[in-house]
Every structure is written in C-alpha cells, then in structure tokens.
Amino acid sequence: MLVRDAMSTVVLIIGPHHTLRQAAALMSARRVGAAVVHDPDAGGIGILTERDILNSVGLGQNPDTERTQDHTTTDVVFAAPGWTLEEAARSMTHGGFRHLVVLDSGDVTGVVSVRDIIRCWAPDRQQVPV
C-alpha cells in the first residue's frame, strides 16, 4: 500500500502569524493533529503539531500571543505519494515524529499520520455481539 492510499488530502494550511489558540481551534474543528504552515518569507513550508502547542502551553506560554512561526518545525521531512507505507513509517520512526507532509511536484497534496498508517494496516473492527 502507498502513501497516496493512506494520506489525508484535505490539508489544513495556516500562516505564520496565526496564534497558537487560532491554530488549535482550526485543528480541532478539522479533527487533525497537524497543520501545514506556509511562510513564503521564511523559506516555505513547515508543520505545526498538537505536540508543539502542548509544549508551549506546558511551558506557561500564552496561546493568545504565541505565533505559529515560533513553534513550527521548518526542517520538514516530506513524503512522496508513491512511497510505500513502510517507507513512511520508517521515516517517522527514524525522525521521531508522527506526521509527514506529502509533496507531489513541489505542491502539498496531503498529510499522512501514524494513525493513517495504522488504519491501513489494522484489520477492520468487527462488531462484538452484546
């Protein structure tokens, strides 16, 4: 199975000047664990994850004043739609992260998460009679 088969194609893209609270609200509304941060002035594409927001709040920082640009990972590892899920999982394990931005011809086409991969690898849940 390939990344294109597992990835989410509805990608939340936000700007570098969103507050962490705004980013969290958008991520919650979309039910996603990461947002792609597009910042053409700082070199392009980054990623902001739930963990980035959690770390900031855990440090006592104010989510109403902290900006995504200060918490975004900019040394992003990108996946290609044609990667196998094994390649994606290996990259995540090696890098210690749970999301990969998927690029096709330089354009963001999706995000694949550990949850997406597990969903593909795990057998369908069966209803257990009560």
Side-chain angles (χ1 to χ4, degrees), residues 89-105:
R90 192 175 311 113
S91 180
M92 289 176 183
T93 301
H94 183 268
F97 44 81
R98 297 178 286 178
H99 298 86
L100 286 170
V101 177
V102 182
L103 292 184
D104 192 6
S105 300

Side-chain angles (χ1 to χ4, degrees), residues 64-119:
D64 291 315
T65 58
E66 290 295 313
R67 303 291 171 182
T68 59
Q69 66 189 0
D70 298 319
H71 300 278
T72 297
T73 300
T74 55
D75 58 342
V76 179
V77 175
F78 298 101
W83 279 17
T84 65
L85 293 185
E86 288 82 5
E87 289 173 299
R90 192 175 311 113
S91 180
M92 289 176 183
T93 301
H94 183 268
F97 44 81
R98 297 178 286 178
H99 298 86
L100 286 170
V101 177
V102 182
L103 292 184
D104 192 6
S105 300
D107 295 324
V108 175
T109 58
V111 173
V112 65
S113 69
V114 170
R115 180 178 291 154
D116 295 327
I117 293 172
I118 291 170
R119 190 178 309 118

